[in-house]
Amino acid sequence: MILIDGKKAAVELREELKIEVSGLKSKYNKVPGLTVILIGGLAPSQIYVRNKEKSANEVGLKSDVIRYPDSVEEKTVLDKIYELNKDDSVSGILVQLPLPKHIDKQKVIEAILPSKDVDGFHPMNVGNLSSGYESSVPCTPLGCYLLIKKIEPNLSGKKAVIVGRSNLNGKPMTQLLLKENCTVTITHSKTKDLKGECLKGDIIVAAVGMPELVKGDWVKKDAIVIDVGINKTDKGIVGDVAFDEVSKVAKALTPVPGGVGPMTIACLLKNTIECFKRSQK
Ligand code: NAP
């Protein structure tokens, strides 16, 4: 069984991006810039944003974090986004989620210029992705996609089963694999016979949020299994896949932690660089 090392893949991707940024600096005499807006003091969000800033600096991007207290008015945030939309030194804007209840998440997402939407959440980017046009792709599914391609470069005709249909993970994952000519089944909480569906998959991507939902006898021999889940349990952090059982049947499997997670931030940097390059065309 191949243990898919997301940490190593993320280091390699960051190295490639660092070289690319250096080339862009020579060509344009400026570097891509990422601005993150962080609202409130939620500990996980603070940690994510610190890691994003550190990684952005490591690859040579210009990186800024704008911090607001929980009580900030929605209009203040929207006005800041409009200002950043017009700022040529800002290639990508990310508003760290979740937001306080009084701020309308969708309004904030739609305020970001689609060409600077590094999270790929703007409806324009969602539509472009599903139409097969150039777009920013949400970072976690993009990371999953790159890991799958490392194991199996030719995905044409493979049967992929996606467990979970969130806008963040399941739906964009479906589009990415469709584009690779996979036959994709997307499953969810109302799916009948989830085990039977999973058993048909040459590729399974689990993005549910239920500890060890996907069992060993749900997985076809030699399937590639990508575990997006992050679940806090009494035995520590586990994924949506029963690792010990599935590792006995799968051809390749991501661990949790150390699989999909590390690729997410690297893909955010990749998206920022892509936004910069498109803006220079
Ligand atoms: P979400 O928005 O809560 O969506 C969960 C999906 O799972 C829904 O589509 C839901 O179906 C489906 N589901 C729930 N119970 C199910 C069941 N028993 N059988 C089949 N499907 C079921 O979750 P998300 O934001 O996509 O996140 C999923 C997991 O990924 C979480 O553990 C999260 O922490 C993790 N995550 C990891 C990363 C990373 O970087 N590694 C990034 C983001 C998220 P319905 O649509 O029918 O409700």
Side-chain angles (χ1 to χ4, degrees), residues 9-261:
V11 169
E12 287 167 3
L13 178 54
R14 285 202 304 270
E15 279 307 313
E16 284 169 27
L17 297 176
K18 197 172 173 177
I19 294 166
E20 192 171 7
V21 170
S22 154
L24 291 170
K25 192 175 177 183
S26 310
K27 186 169 175 189
Y28 297 108
N29 203 24
K30 56 183 173 181
V31 294
L34 172 66
T35 298
V36 177
I37 297 179
L38 173 61
I39 303 170
L42 270 182
S45 296
Q46 301 270 0
I47 296 168
Y48 289 142
V49 168
R50 211 177 307 134
N51 289 341
K52 283 169 184 172
E53 195 178 18
K54 186 168 161 264
S55 300
N57 287 329
E58 270 169 22
V59 303
L61 300 184
K62 178 178 152 311
S63 156
D64 286 310
V65 180
I66 296 168
R67 291 182 165 78
Y68 291 115
D70 273 308
S71 57
V72 67
E73 282 184 28
E74 184 181 271
K75 185 177 180 309
T76 307
V77 178
L78 293 175
D79 285 345
K80 176 53 76 179
I81 293 173
Y82 300 141
E83 187 189 313
L84 295 171
N85 281 343
K86 289 190 208 133
D87 184 339
D88 283 343
S89 72
V90 176
S91 323
I93 304 166
L94 180 149
V95 180
Q96 182 65 44
L97 302 177
L99 299 176
K101 284 206 174 69
H102 66 280
I103 298 183
D104 183 336
K105 180 176 97 175
Q106 200 54 27
K107 233 188 210 176
V108 167
I109 288 173
E110 291 182 26
I112 298 171
L113 212 56
S115 57
K116 296 192 178 192
D117 164 37
V118 277
D119 257 338
F121 294 161
H122 192 287
M124 183 85 93
N125 281 320
V126 175
N128 280 340
L129 178 64
S130 65
S131 304
Y133 301 140
E134 204 171 55
S135 68
S136 284
V137 178
C139 304
T140 302
L142 179 59
C144 296
Y145 166 80
L146 295 175
L147 292 176
I148 295 169
K149 288 282 279 183
K150 264 185 188 281
I151 302 294
E152 182 58 70
N154 181 8
L155 298 173
S156 185
K158 301 276 181 209
K159 171 101 176 126
V161 179
I162 315 297
V163 191
R165 58 175 161 183
S166 69
N167 292 338
L168 179 65
N169 289 306
K171 284 180 190 156
M173 194 70 240
T174 300
Q175 297 300 342
L176 287 169
L177 293 176
L178 262 184
K179 222 171 161 182
E180 289 288 323
N181 298 318
C182 287
T183 303
V184 187
T185 300
I186 181 156
T187 65
H188 45 78
S189 67
K190 308 291 184 291
T191 296
K192 289 184 181 147
D193 190 18
L194 185 60
K195 174 181 172 181
E197 293 300 338
C198 286
L199 271 169
K200 294 178 200 156
D202 302 308
I203 299 159
I204 299 175
V205 180
V208 178
M210 286 185 74
E212 303 182 329
L213 173 74
V214 178
K215 307 283 186 274
D217 62 353
W218 291 29
V219 175
K220 185 161 108 175
K221 190 173 171 339
D222 288 339
I224 299 171
V225 182
I226 305 292
D227 190 351
V228 182
I230 302 174
N231 307 293
K232 270 190 194 157
T233 68
D234 294 344
K235 53 176 183 174
I237 302 279
V238 301
D240 291 343
V241 174
F243 184 89
D244 291 346
E245 293 177 17
V246 172
S247 61
K248 294 192 180 98
V249 268
K251 168 175 156 185
L253 171 63
T254 54
V256 176
V260 172

